[in-house]
Amino acid sequence: MDVVYIMIVVSLIIALLFFFLFINTVKSGQYDDMYTPSVRMLFEDEIVNDKVKEKSEITK
Amino acid sequence: MAQEFCYHCGADCHSSKLIFDEKNFCCNGCKTVYEILNQNELQCYYDLTKNPGSIPKEIKEKFNYLDNPDIVSKLVEFDDGETVVAQFNIPSIHCSSCIWVLENLNKLNKGIKSSQVNFPEKTVRLTFNVTQINFKAVVELMTSIGYEPYISLEDASSAKKKIDRKLIYQVAVAGFAFGNIMLMSLPEYFQMDEFWLNQYKSFFRGIMFVFAIPVVAFSAKDYFISAFKGLKHKILNIDVPISLGIGILFIRSTYDIIFNLGQGYFDSLAGLVFFLLLGKVYQQKTYNFLSFERDYKSYFPIAVTLIDKDKNEHYIPVNDVKKGDRLLIRHQELIPVDGIIINGNALIDYSFVTGESFPISKQSGDKVFAGGKQMGGSIEIEVIEKMSQSYLTQLWGNAIFNKKLTNNIKSLTDTISKNFTIVILAIAIFGAIYWFRIDQNVAFNVFTSVLIIACPCALALAAPFALGNMLRLFGKDKFYLKRADVIESLAKIDVIVFDKTGTLTSSQSQIIYSGEHLTEFDLIGIKSLLRQSNHLMSRKLYEDLNYPISNKVANFEEFIGKGILGTINDISFYLGSANFVGVNEKDDILQTKIWIKINDEIKGKFIFENTYRANLASVFKQLESTFELIILSGDNEGEKEKLSRLLPVSVQYYFNQKPQQKLDFIKDLQSKNKYVLMIGDGLNDAGALAQSDVGIAISEDINIFSPACDGILNAEKFELIPRYLKCSKQTLKLIKISFIISFVYNFLGIYLAVQGLLSPIIAAIFMPLSSISVVLFVTFGSNIIFKKN
Amino acid sequence: MEKEQFYYDNKIVKLFLYATVLWGVVGMLVGLMVAFLFIFPNYLEGISWLSFGRLRPLHTNAVIFAFVGNGVFLGIYYSMQRLLKARMFSDTLSKIHFWGWQLIIVAAAITLPLGLTSSKEYAELEWPIDIAITLIWVVMGINMIGTILKRRQRHIYVAIWFYIATLVTVAVLHIFNNLEMPVTAFKSYSIYAGVQDAMVQWWYGHNAVAFFLTTPVLGLMYYFVPKVSNRPIYSYRLSIIHFWSLIFIYIWAGPHHLLYTALPEWAQNLGTVFSVMLIFPSWGGMINGLLTLRGAWDKVRENPILKFFVVAITGYGMSTFEGPMLSFKSVNAIAHYTDWIVGHVHIGTLAWNGFMISGMLYWLVQKLWKTELYSKKLANSHFLIATIGILLYAIPLYVAGFTQATMWKEFNPDGTLVYGNFLETVTKIMPMYMMRAAGGTLYLIGFLMLAYNIIKTIKIGQFVGDELAEVAPLTPISSSRLAGEGFHSWLERRTVLFTILATVAILIGGAVEIVPLIVVPSNIPTITSVKPYSPLELEGRDLYIREGCNNCHSQMIRPFRSEVARYGEYSKAGEFVYDHPFLWGSKRTGPDLHREGQKYNDNWHFNHLLDPRSTSPGSIMPSYSWLILNDLDVSSTADKMNAMVKLGVPYTQFEVDKALYLLRNQASEIMVNLNQDPEFKKAYGDSNIQDKEIVALIAYLQRLGTDIKADKTALK
């Protein structure tokens, strides 16, 4: 069962890694705004898409 | 007729409808925005949300002061001569379209590099290239599409506030450690003696110990500090027993694992700290988009237009204005200092100051007070008082604004904890002494156990969760409190002081005519004239009169700030202020009138009267039984008998109160040790609001001006005031009950502890159980209370 | 720094889309073949590489790593570019990732039917392929982190976090579960033995589910559900909490797969506790997903894609509720080893993974080919058929599982088992197996409709390989000026650190992993009577692994009266100390074999292997006729023993040198036994069975669990 040592150590390393990540994400202000990102991800660069459509029409 | 709504802002485009692209617009502003967005392929602004826009304010020279570099430098966050970063507060942000268009500003101007909206805080941070577009241009650009930034002296003076995330880190550390420590301690709970387990014990315990250190050293830090501070001032605040508990937990557990007596209580320790901190987080709910600390500065322009001897205009920071300076005040600009009108006709809106919603006209020679907003054309005034001495702002000299806002009511939790701590210590010591004679090891065990189990986690959590939850519930109802403990203060209130204008009265007004009878022809004539004028009052009256309009209006003329005249079928009409039509009557500050003169004959006047808020009477009725009610108004007694007819007899009235007097009045009440709740709106109440135990500002539009206060109430919720007070009172009762519950828990625990029966697993079950059950109790309790009322 | 124009790479997305559909069909087809083997055990008679024990791993690997794998990459490559407003870091890496992954799948599709397997569930692939997987994973990692580095959107949307979690965790788990001691190019032994091997395997096994089938798909949910319904996620804050709490709990749930086994009790309970706690984050996610569509049910009604998503999320909710339930010891005692578990996992895979990906496919094909779906009606009927398929699949298996479990445990008043013959408990649930097959068929038909629909849509559509986009780049600003704002180019530093840490973590892990190699032998509580396998038995064991017997037969008797009565003394940790890898199995389609040794005579086994129904009428075990045709390959016997020695199995040098001699001796002994049966003599007397594989297998089976049959004591 010494494998338990490995598993605990490895798991803790992973956990600490993510913990570290979390702290830094907070520190960098990523989570200051907990609403806008959810809306922002819905936007697509409509104009670009239009252009593409036009292009494709032309090529047809 | 079928109502038509503005494609841009959704407003009803009544009299003046514009059509463009087969779309209705309520005004030119909206139409222009539409055109701008259209030309720049930003149409889908309108697809994301229906009628997302807001009517843009006209710019003119409004932002000229932003040409002054040292003013701008105060407003930017970063500037390397090319790239500039600045954050703007934009009250009109309200939907996803707003986010979209603001984050696509660079389609409107290539100079803007990137823009990021923070919706909850209603701010946008822009990065732009000053070589391509300067600060002023950016502001004007946003204003032109209806997103006028709200730039105030406050922003300029006060350093950029830093977001303090310490608490989050502390919670994160505690939570993380808690999880892992639990993982490590569970095996020994599950199985006492097993081959492998015995092999790992030390390994597990070691890890637990390591994880416990940051919890105590970092996460729990503040408890030790505050406990220490408390003791220094000879106060046994709640943090004393808490830090005592934490400390003992750590020492005892370390001792246990070192001498291999057991696995220690590290899991309970981490859990305890974690829950306590969660409580703090929960209580820390803030309404970012509101500001509770606005002082007069935030009302006033950052810079003003100074006119020097040779009639040149300069923009100077308002603080530099000296007595005797001549200032130019434009339409829609705020008068920053007390002064005398040199020329131009003033129509001054004092609503920020008094809450009075109708402008008053002034002529040259009249005195104007700081805080008024010029509505007509531009006027020129001579400064008679430095800003800091002016009628309003002198208030801010008063100590009340400088003294840090600390809740002067001692919190319930602390009062209780005092005795609690003493009792616990007593028990611990006696227990120890008792056992010492029998078995010394047990003595130590008992002493520590008592302090561990008695650690008033539940006690400390009750208030934060009860108040925090109530705060949220209030917030849902458009009643925003600065801090959760304001609720505690609210519960103690016994006097309520109301301001009158703007607080008891609403901005909606009714128009009464008094004077000789007007023929239909007269009225038609009046309406037709009014139609020509864009003046706020003209519009009001125009909509008020239901008559057809004739279009035979001839030689129409408008004298800004005075009135309008014109002829119909050679019959002359004069509409306007008293001396415009030639009545020699002093316009009193508070009544707004339009005088009517037809064919050189004074017919009479239309009086704009403020209406009292709906169910004002019933609100007072409900309050009267429990509270002493006072109306404290800056106005004359004109309304007194009307009010006394409306309101219960017990209500007391004080009129003609200057801001300073209002403040002193509150002080005086407090000296008779009463707990005073002040409800006001205007700047003139600011002093009173700050002085009172709880100051609540009523506001028609919570995003903009409201003086410094403990809470902001959306005007439409006025009738709910009794409910809020009731809820607060009951919340406090609730907390008291929960205290009893947690005491019961504590004594159960202590009962075990004194017998030396407290094992890690019992602690591990017992402590979270007590805390969680209390938390649930108060949370559900407060929800019920809120629903019930 | 003007606004930058750049192109999203749709070509790679297209490739993954094709792969997803293709492997989806293949994987499900194999699944169906397997399902039919339950009903017609003989319909693939005598084709060694199509026997159940080899197809089942093929099915699981195909659907998990080929279908869901490609589907997840598809979603990641599409959403990541758009969320980060940047083309993937490197097209070459993207291509390497794609083709590498397909190569691995093909390799798996070849090796598994050939019986080249490590026998560890969901990690069956042999060591060279394991290494390939690791490499491709690293490639993908570099590509992802590179993209994050050059992103043009400051905020990292929650979906990306789920992807990152997958990237890191799967890498570590894969490495640690596949630490093997190679013997030949396609043969290796797990470095762990018995209990330890089991522990690691299920630590991995569970997290394979957690971090390969759940977290990335949650990431997809957080991107595609809002996108398709065009409304922001119900609560972004909740999604953040969901992510971090999930990460910190998942890793520990593993041991719940080993309840009532020889694993120490505390370890088992640990698994239970954490599995139960998992329900909170899981349901947090589900609720968040469903509430996103609140007030938009009209949209759902007319949009098949949203229908798929709704059912998918509901499926997620169901299986994440069932999971914790099943990790309660009392429930687990019933469900474990039965078809209940099979039903449980298929709710997860068919509903959650299958539907999530189907919906995504329908949406993406329209996006990529800039056209409407060929037939919305077809999509709707796919949804209908597949949903019925799922129900028809799962429900019978729940019934089957429950029936079987109760029959296993039923006693007569006199204390004997009611169903002493295991077969009765199998024949009883045949109808359920048939319904399951029907359900599977429906699901496959549905998926074929999807394939057709997709192809048609592609035909009418017009593919845009590189989609033009225009976004301003991030402007790095010296952080000193902006107090603590999310403004400085933070991730640049972070990610570098992050990658370094990741590698460090893996290195440390690697270092730690040496430890057991040294210490393993020293501190296992040994049972004196437990001895290493003889060379022949060792070869037999490898045949057992090759034929995948462990797919249907467990080797772990739980300490229940019913099991002890049926199989004999319950299994002890000490008995497995030489089992590299462990062969406890996780399903009992057939009876447990841990005490099989000496239960029947050699002839019985001989006949049973050749034609199971001859000895046990009604058995659904396929016949292994090729075992008497193939000569036993003894070329690497000595190497195998040496490898075992390296892993701490105490073979003496003498034994290793004399390996073949010993092997032949034992074989001839078995021949003696076999020849006692006149039937056998008549049939095979002259042919030399002695060198055939079947002999080795018999030897192994006869050895199973015999070590402590003699003495039940000496247990530490």
Side-chain angles (χ1 to χ4, degrees), chain C residues 202-223:
Chain C
W202 285 111
W203 180 59
Y204 162 89
H206 179 79
N207 289 309
V209 178
F211 287 100
F212 204 95
L213 297 179
T214 307
T215 45
V217 185
L218 280 169
L220 300 183
M221 175 186 92
Y222 277 121
Y223 180 80

Side-chain angles (χ1 to χ4, degrees), chain A residues 1-2 4-5 8-9 12 15-16 19 22-23 26-27 29 32-33 35-36 39-40 43 45-47, chain B residues 41 96 99-100 103 107 116-120 163 165 169 172-173 176 180 184 196 199-200 203-204 207:
Chain A
M1 290 300 294
D2 298 79
V4 167
Y5 284 119
I8 289 174
V9 171
L12 284 184
L16 282 167
F19 180 69
F22 174 72
I23 293 294
V26 176
K27 195 176 266 147
D32 288 355
D33 178 356
Y35 176 75
T36 325
V39 179
R40 191 178 291 126
F43 302 151
D45 221 330
E46 300 291 350
I47 306 121
Chain B
E41 301 174 310
S96 38
I99 300 174
W100 185 80
E103 296 204 336
K107 293 211 177 57
Q116 193 177 17
V117 174
N118 181 328
F119 189 85
I163 312 144
R165 305 196 186 86
Y169 298 144
V173 171
F176 182 70
N180 288 285
M184 292 297 142
W196 293 111
Q199 302 238 322
Y200 297 135
F203 177 60
F204 288 168
I207 293 178

Side-chain angles (χ1 to χ4, degrees), chain C residues 463-496:
Chain C
F463 181 69
V464 181
D466 298 287
E467 196 160 2
L468 179 68
E470 185 179 57
V471 183
L474 287 191
T475 47
I477 299 279
S478 64
S479 55
S480 53
R481 282 299 295 269
L482 313 148
E485 286 303 297
F487 202 82
H488 41 36
S489 55
W490 66 285
L491 207 111
E492 280 72 355
R493 280 181 279 117
R494 294 294 158 260
T495 330
V496 173

Side-chain angles (χ1 to χ4, degrees), chain A residues 1-49 51-53 55-57 59-60, chain C residues 83 151 153-157 161 165 168 172 176 192 195-196 199-200 203 222-223 226-227 231-233 236-237 240 244 247-248 252 263-264 367 370 462 464 467-470 484-486 490 494 497-498 501-502 505 508 512 516 519 523:
Chain A
M1 290 300 294
D2 298 79
V3 71
V4 167
Y5 284 119
I6 309 171
M7 289 166 57
I8 289 174
V9 171
V10 172
S11 308
L12 284 184
I13 290 169
I14 300 176
L16 282 167
L17 178 81
F18 276 104
F19 180 69
F20 172 87
L21 257 173
F22 174 72
I23 293 294
N24 280 291
T25 332
V26 176
K27 195 176 266 147
S28 64
Q30 284 267 316
Y31 294 153
D32 288 355
D33 178 356
M34 290 289 236
Y35 176 75
T36 325
S38 64
V39 179
R40 191 178 291 126
M41 65 83 69
L42 296 174
F43 302 151
E44 283 178 19
D45 221 330
E46 300 291 350
I47 306 121
V48 171
N49 291 357
K51 281 178 188 156
V52 172
K53 282 208 189 75
K55 281 205 197 84
S56 52
E57 255 100 65
T59 49
K60 266 178 193 164
Chain C
L83 283 172
R151 73 192 196 277
Q153 167 59 51
R154 191 153 280 106
H155 180 86
I156 296 186
Y157 186 68
W161 285 109
V168 177
V172 175
F176 278 94
Y192 322 102
V195 183
Q196 311 212 35
M199 185 86 173
V200 181
W203 180 59
Y222 277 121
Y223 180 80
K227 271 294 193 191
R231 36 192 16 241
I233 192 75
Y236 193 64
R237 175 174 270 102
I240 302 284
W244 290 106
I247 289 307
F248 289 128
W252 275 114
L263 196 70
K367 280 277 163 192
K370 301 264 168 283
Q462 213 247 1
V464 181
E467 196 160 2
L468 179 68
E470 185 179 57
E485 286 303 297
W490 66 285
R494 294 294 158 260
L497 252 164
F498 166 47
L501 269 168
I508 296 174
V512 178
V519 293
N523 57 13

Side-chain angles (χ1 to χ4, degrees), chain B residues 126 184 421 513 546 567 595 667:
Chain B
L126 294 180
M184 292 297 142
T421 318
Y513 174 76
N546 297 331
T567 58
W595 288 84
K667 257 217 194 85

Side-chain angles (χ1 to χ4, degrees), chain B residues 581-593:
Chain B
V581 298
V583 182
N584 48 8
E585 181 210 63
K586 185 99 201 62
D587 298 83
D588 74 73
I589 291 284
L590 280 148
Q591 272 202 330
T592 320
K593 313 190 188 82

Side-chain angles (χ1 to χ4, degrees), chain C residues 60 72 188 277 359 375 445 514 645:
Chain C
T60 52
V72 163
S188 67
M277 292 200 314
S375 160
I445 292 170
I514 309 302
V645 172

Side-chain angles (χ1 to χ4, degrees), chain C residues 291-321:
Chain C
L291 285 188
T292 304
L293 301 169
R294 80 200 180 290
W297 297 111
D298 48 332
K299 277 189 187 175
V300 177
R301 217 171 297 113
E302 85 236 3
N303 183 347
I305 299 175
L306 285 177
K307 284 187 205 160
F308 276 103
F309 286 164
V310 169
V311 173
I313 298 168
T314 321
Y316 175 63
M318 282 167 65
S319 41
T320 49
F321 171 74

